[in-house]
Amino acid sequence: MKFILTKELGRLATWLRILGYDSSFYRQDNLSTLVITALREERVILTRNSRMSRFPGPRIIKIDSDFVAQQIKQVIVELKLKPKQKDMFTRCVICNIELEEIAKSRIKDKVPEYVYQNQKDFVVCPRCKRVYWQGTHWGNAREYLEKIQNVYR
Ligand SMILES: [Zn+2]
């Protein structure tokens, strides 16, 4: 399932990308173009804008909460999503494109020394060249997502 989010949902977009979902971000105000893009790319629209519900055509989910934890939960519950561990952290959180494996030797000068010493696997975004690894950052994200699921189960 793919998403397109309106501009007030930036943090939710980041989290959906962490979960592995193709989530594009719509920065403009033209709602008709948004609807056309959603239909053409077969994306579900996620928005806080209640005026959006007047548009026929694409599936539109009006996000109820201002809090990102509740937003994530609403999307998961309403669309009956089952995020898989193996899909997590496969997508650049900035560019929304899939990450590629990269040989450790090629990123030596791109990550902090202690990271290079302690991590085995690295992936890179083909567009922005940002390097990702299974470090603390991903550990925290996983913990956070587990907490959300438990709290609202
Ligand atoms: Zn990127």
Side-chain angles (χ1 to χ4, degrees):
M1 188 168 290
K2 298 192 291 183
F3 302 104
I4 185 164
L5 296 86
T6 49
K7 59 186 173 187
E8 72 283 358
L9 293 173
R11 291 189 66 207
L12 179 60
T14 301
W15 277 99
L16 289 171
R17 288 169 187 171
I18 289 174
L19 287 171
Y21 294 104
D22 182 339
S23 306
S24 67
F25 195 48
Y26 189 75
R27 287 191 173 77
Q28 299 144 50
D29 288 313
N30 187 333
L31 297 182
S32 314
T33 312
L34 169 62
V35 168
I36 290 164
T37 308
L39 285 171
R40 194 179 53 219
E41 299 179 6
E42 298 181 330
R43 295 178 184 276
V44 176
I45 296 176
L46 305 178
T47 184
R48 290 276 289 139
N49 185 345
S50 38
R51 286 188 300 141
M52 281 302 304
S53 52
R54 291 189 286 119
F55 284 85
R59 178 146 193 200
I60 299 170
I61 292 187
K62 161 77 169 57
I63 299 295
D64 300 321
S65 175
D66 276 326
F67 298 100
V68 73
Q70 276 155 354
Q71 295 174 346
I72 299 166
K73 190 66 187 179
Q74 184 187 350
V75 174
I76 290 176
V77 169
E78 249 178 70
L79 293 169
K80 300 186 177 64
L81 299 180
K82 299 202 166 40
K84 295 186 190 74
Q85 285 278 347
K86 71 168 176 60
D87 295 331
M88 284 177 71
F89 310 107
T90 55
R91 192 170 284 280
C92 179
V93 297
I94 311 294
C95 309
N96 187 39
I97 55 179
E98 282 183 38
L99 300 170
E100 293 171 354
E101 284 176 34
I102 188 164
K104 189 171 171 172
S105 58
R106 291 181 56 199
I107 48 88
K108 191 174 186 354
D109 50 356
K110 295 198 179 72
V111 299
E113 180 63 25
Y114 71 92
V115 172
Y116 188 80
Q117 295 301 335
N118 293 300
Q119 298 293 326
K120 194 158 55 83
D121 301 313
F122 295 87
V123 283
V124 66
C125 171
R127 187 175 299 161
C128 72
K129 309 299 177 198
R130 176 190 270 245
V131 177
Y132 293 81
W133 60 89
Q134 298 268 2
T136 344
H137 186 69
W138 287 7
N140 290 344
R142 189 167 283 137
E143 230 169 69
Y144 179 72
L145 288 164
E146 278 166 13
K147 202 157 61 183
I148 291 172
Q149 308 240 9
N150 287 332
V151 169
Y152 298 97
R153 191 165 281 159

